[in-house]
Each structure stands twice: as C-alpha cells, then as structure tokens.
Amino acid sequence: MIRDVLVYPNKRLRVKSKDVVDFNKELHCLLEDMKDTMYANEGIGLAAIQIGVDKNVLIINLTDEDGEQNHENLFEIINPVILEAEGSITYQEGCLSVPTVYEEIERKEKIKVRYYNRDGIMIEEELEGIMAIAFQHELDHLNGHLFIEKLSYLKRKKFEKEWKKKLKEGK
Ligand code: CO
C-alpha cells in the first residue's frame, strides 16, 4: 500500500527510531508498504520514519548505469549499524522528504556495516560508492536527521528561505 511520505519540517522526521525485535508479518507488511511508497515516488531509498513508523528499517534500490531500477536489486535493511568507516566522498543527494532539493553532501567513502534481513539473518558487508552514501543517508533518518542539516550555515539559510516560500506557494 502506498503511504504518505512525511515532508520537512514535519517534527516526526526528528524522532529516533527503535530496533525491530520481532521479524514477523508486521515487519514484512511494513517493508511492502515502504517498497510501494518508494517506487510510487521514484525514490532510491526510504526509511520507515518517512512514512511515520519509528522502526530501524530502511530500503535501498539503486538504479543501474542505464538509469533502470531493477527491483531484484532491492536491499531490505533492518537494525543497521556502521562498524567501520573510511575516506570521504561528495555526492549530490536528494530526499523524498525534501522534494526537489538536491545538494552536495560529504559522506564516508567506504563503510563496513551490520544489519539484519527480513528473516532476522545477520549480514555484515563492506559498502562503497553510491550504496555507501545511500546507506548513510537513510541511517541518518533513523537517528532523526536529514541531509540538509549537513549544509553550511549560509546554504542552510538559503534553503530555509526558499523552502518556506515553496511551502507558502503550495508547490
Ligand atoms: Co532521505
């Protein structure tokens, strides 16, 4: 089921999510709703809190070189943690909770992560490139943070001004 995506400055986006304890049907329904919602909005990543659910669940489905989004490449990531991180990389990020805004954000280049799949199987792997960037972006959501918080003071001010205008105009 397609759910509404919370949009900045909705306060619920600042809530810190909690770990999933039961890897049950409720979790699987949440994952299905997240997938439906992400694809309907043409996103490449979504955190559960973006549809209002404060659980440590995120999904990522990157596009390939041709810009196609193969649904078989979907990552379902539960209770994620970053174990190690190195290097730095800058990439233009966007977010379904801050639609139409794209900004250059600096992240760790390579990360070693641990998470669980929908069946509660623990997975540890090393991620790099856009996958590492997306993982860090979505993990920030679970901690109640948005990518715009990483902007410089002046860029953030400019963003806030333009965003207020945009919301006022109802676009
Ligand atoms: Co986002």
Side-chain angles (χ1 to χ4, degrees):
M1 190 174 70
I2 299 170
R3 309 263 293 261
D4 286 339
V5 177
L6 302 183
V7 170
Y8 179 79
N10 190 307
K11 284 194 173 65
R12 190 146 177 86
L13 289 169
R14 303 216 301 253
V15 169
K16 193 169 162 22
S17 295
K18 300 173 202 76
D19 271 351
V20 169
V21 179
D22 297 315
F23 292 75
N24 56 14
K25 191 156 175 278
E26 189 191 340
L27 171 68
H28 297 170
C29 285
L30 171 64
L31 285 164
E32 294 309 313
D33 283 359
M34 287 172 68
K35 264 191 275 186
D36 291 345
T37 306
M38 182 176 77
Y39 293 142
N41 289 283
E42 295 177 356
I44 59 165
L46 190 77
I49 195 64
Q50 290 181 277
I51 58 167
V53 179
D54 58 346
K55 287 190 176 155
N56 284 329
V57 177
L58 60 92
I59 57 172
I60 295 171
N61 193 347
L62 301 181
T63 53
D64 62 24
E65 307 88 69
D66 307 317
E68 299 290 322
Q69 193 174 39
N70 185 343
H71 291 192
E72 283 168 22
N73 296 334
L74 177 83
F75 281 78
E76 295 177 334
I77 295 171
I78 327 288
N79 301 348
V81 288
I82 293 176
L83 302 171
E84 289 168 35
E86 63 174 54
S88 81
I89 183 171
T90 302
Y91 188 76
Q92 195 173 53
E93 297 185 19
C95 180
L96 293 179
S97 292
V98 197
T100 73
V101 173
Y102 298 90
E103 294 285 355
E104 299 273 335
I105 302 292
E106 191 179 338
R107 301 276 183 190
K108 295 292 183 186
E109 186 182 16
K110 287 185 187 173
I111 52 176
K112 187 179 175 193
V113 301
R114 177 191 294 151
Y115 61 90
Y116 295 81
N117 73 6
R118 62 159 61 209
D119 301 313
I121 306 293
M122 190 182 85
I123 295 161
E124 277 189 14
E125 59 189 358
E126 285 177 25
L127 304 175
E128 57 182 14
I130 299 174
M131 186 60 203
I133 292 166
F135 192 100
Q136 292 168 80
H137 176 115
E138 302 309 332
L139 185 56
D140 277 356
H141 277 296
L142 302 183
N143 289 311
H145 296 299
L146 295 173
F147 76 120
I148 48 168
E149 293 170 38
K150 291 184 172 287
L151 293 174
S152 69
Y153 176 75
L154 283 176
K155 277 192 176 171
R156 178 69 187 267
K157 248 179 118 171
K158 187 166 171 272
F159 159 78
E160 291 294 343
K161 202 176 153 195
E162 287 170 0
W163 191 251
K164 258 184 205 132
K165 190 166 167 249
K166 187 180 139 84
L167 291 179
K168 214 172 166 185
E169 289 166 355
K171 279 190 221 161

